[in-house]
Amino acid sequence: MILINTTKILIIIGAILWIMGILLKKKIVKNIGIAILIFVIIFWVIFFIWAIEEESIDEHENQQENETISQNNNNEINDITKQFLNSIIYKYGIITKIEDNKIYFSDKDNNLYLIENDEKINYIDGRTGTNYSFNDIKENWYIDLNNNQKCLLYKNIKGEELKKEILINLSLPDDIDMVRASVDEIKEVQQLGNNEAIVTFGISDIVRSEYYPEINDEEHSFDIKLKLTNDTQYNTNFNGNSTYNASTIENSKHLMLYLRIKSNTVENEYPEILEFDSYSN
């Protein structure tokens, strides 16, 4: 307010001196008045430039401060043990550290969480159904906390090791309640006769980039050759031609697929299909 009032006074004085100098034909008085007005103009130009630069600096500092606060919030580790044990939370991510009887993990948005080991928690391999103790768990495994106090764990593996676990997953009985690998499509059929065939399926892992951005989905998808035999049970639910034996298997192309492998054939060159289901969309 003082600055504005001072400016007004200087403008009035400068204008008066300028006019008086003109009327009295006093050049020095006129020049003093002009000098005062020029001074006021230059001062305010410099002031505005300074103010704009200060605002820009303040804005940059605020932005940096907000980024720091955001980063600090992202680095905050949330203990979700109680919520998990009370079945009121669902989280998944990749294990970053196991320390002091705690599992630390981050989700796809880089939020950090931890759960403490508790005797109520069931640690289960999400692919094979294997029960783990806390000491079996490793860093870089994937973790999936559901609402039944089950801590599902997925080894961070690739290639033949992963392919074998997917085959085991597809051989699990119904009483093991967990998600199965996705049977995406029928790619090729080789008829063997005698109601038998070798079928190449495109199959995808349970662990996908949708939930775990570190995953390369191509490395978690396989073409797997399986064998239809006389023991295979068929179930179809769609309009048109049915699939009821090996010779009619191609009727199920482009449909939703489900299958179960005989558990004692997982190690075979061509694991055998115990159940084969196909459904229309």
Side-chain angles (χ1 to χ4, degrees):
M1 193 69 181
I2 294 175
L3 185 60
I4 293 174
N5 289 335
T6 302
T7 300
K8 290 178 179 179
I9 293 171
L10 288 174
I11 290 173
I12 293 171
I13 293 173
I16 290 172
L17 292 175
W18 182 25
I19 294 170
M20 286 180 62
I22 293 173
L23 294 175
L24 299 175
K25 298 182 179 180
K26 298 288 185 179
K27 187 174 182 181
I28 188 170
V29 176
K30 182 180 75 172
N31 289 342
I32 292 173
I34 293 172
I36 292 173
L37 294 175
I38 292 174
F39 169 79
V40 170
I41 293 171
I42 293 174
F43 171 81
W44 278 104
V45 169
I46 294 174
F47 178 81
F48 277 120
I49 292 173
W50 172 82
I52 290 171
E53 288 181 351
E54 282 294 309
E55 184 178 359
S56 177
I57 292 171
D58 290 342
E59 184 178 349
H60 179 68
E61 289 177 350
N62 289 335
Q63 183 178 355
Q64 286 185 322
E65 184 177 354
N66 290 335
E67 288 176 355
T68 301
I69 292 171
S70 176
Q71 185 177 7
N72 290 338
N73 288 337
N74 286 336
N75 290 333
E76 181 181 350
I77 300 175
N78 298 302
D79 186 343
I80 59 172
T81 308
K82 290 183 179 179
Q83 294 98 314
F84 174 55
L85 292 175
N86 290 326
S87 299
I88 57 175
I89 198 167
Y90 174 76
K91 294 292 178 183
Y92 49 84
I94 186 168
I95 297 174
T96 57
K97 182 171 63 174
I98 302 171
E99 187 177 83
D100 298 330
N101 218 32
K102 299 180 180 70
I103 299 174
Y104 297 81
F105 68 96
S106 64
D107 66 10
K108 66 178 183 179
D109 298 317
N110 294 320
N111 298 308
L112 303 178
Y113 303 95
L114 73 82
I115 59 167
E116 295 189 40
N117 184 28
D118 190 283
E119 60 181 9
K120 296 178 184 178
I121 300 176
N122 297 309
Y123 301 105
I124 304 171
D125 191 300
R127 295 191 187 99
T128 67
T130 302
N131 288 295
Y132 291 125
S133 69
F134 183 84
N135 293 329
D136 293 325
I137 303 169
K138 303 289 189 255
E139 291 181 9
N140 292 320
W141 284 12
Y142 299 101
I143 186 170
D144 182 346
L145 303 176
N146 62 36
N147 59 4
N148 293 315
Q149 296 177 351
K150 286 182 182 177
C151 176
L152 298 179
L153 300 156
Y154 304 92
K155 293 178 182 176
N156 194 344
I157 53 178
K158 300 177 182 177
E160 290 300 313
E161 189 178 5
L162 175 57
K163 183 177 177 180
K164 182 178 179 180
E165 287 205 351
I166 290 175
L167 290 172
I168 293 172
N169 175 264
L170 291 173
S171 72
L172 298 176
D174 287 336
D175 59 358
I176 297 182
D177 182 21
M178 62 178 56
V179 177
R180 302 297 192 267
S182 174
V183 183
D184 300 320
E185 60 179 322
I186 295 172
K187 291 194 168 184
E188 185 180 353
V189 177
Q190 179 187 352
Q191 294 292 341
L192 302 177
N194 194 30
N195 195 31
E196 293 186 337
I198 303 298
V199 183
T200 304
F201 293 93
I203 295 177
S204 301
D205 187 22
I206 303 163
V207 179
R208 305 176 185 179
S209 60
E210 178 182 0
Y211 303 104
Y212 308 94
E214 304 87 355
I215 291 294
N216 180 341
D217 286 332
E218 290 185 1
E219 294 178 347
H220 286 248
S221 299
F222 298 90
D223 290 348
I224 297 179
K225 294 182 181 292
L226 304 176
K227 187 176 182 179
L228 295 169
T229 72
N230 282 294
D231 294 329
T232 303
Q233 302 171 20
Y234 298 88
N235 178 40
T236 60
N237 178 23
F238 63 95
N239 297 325
N241 296 327
S242 296
T243 297
Y244 52 87
N245 58 16
S247 63
T248 58
I249 187 66
E250 296 204 42
N251 290 337
S252 291
K253 279 188 172 181
H254 313 301
L255 297 179
M256 297 174 62
L257 305 172
Y258 165 83
L259 59 83
R260 177 175 292 146
I261 298 170
K262 283 186 180 180
S263 59
N264 61 351
T265 69
V266 167
E267 300 285 351
N268 293 1
E269 180 182 5
Y270 304 116
E272 297 177 6
I273 298 175
L274 179 63
E275 298 177 29
F276 177 84
D277 300 352
S278 57
Y279 305 90
S280 59
N281 293 328

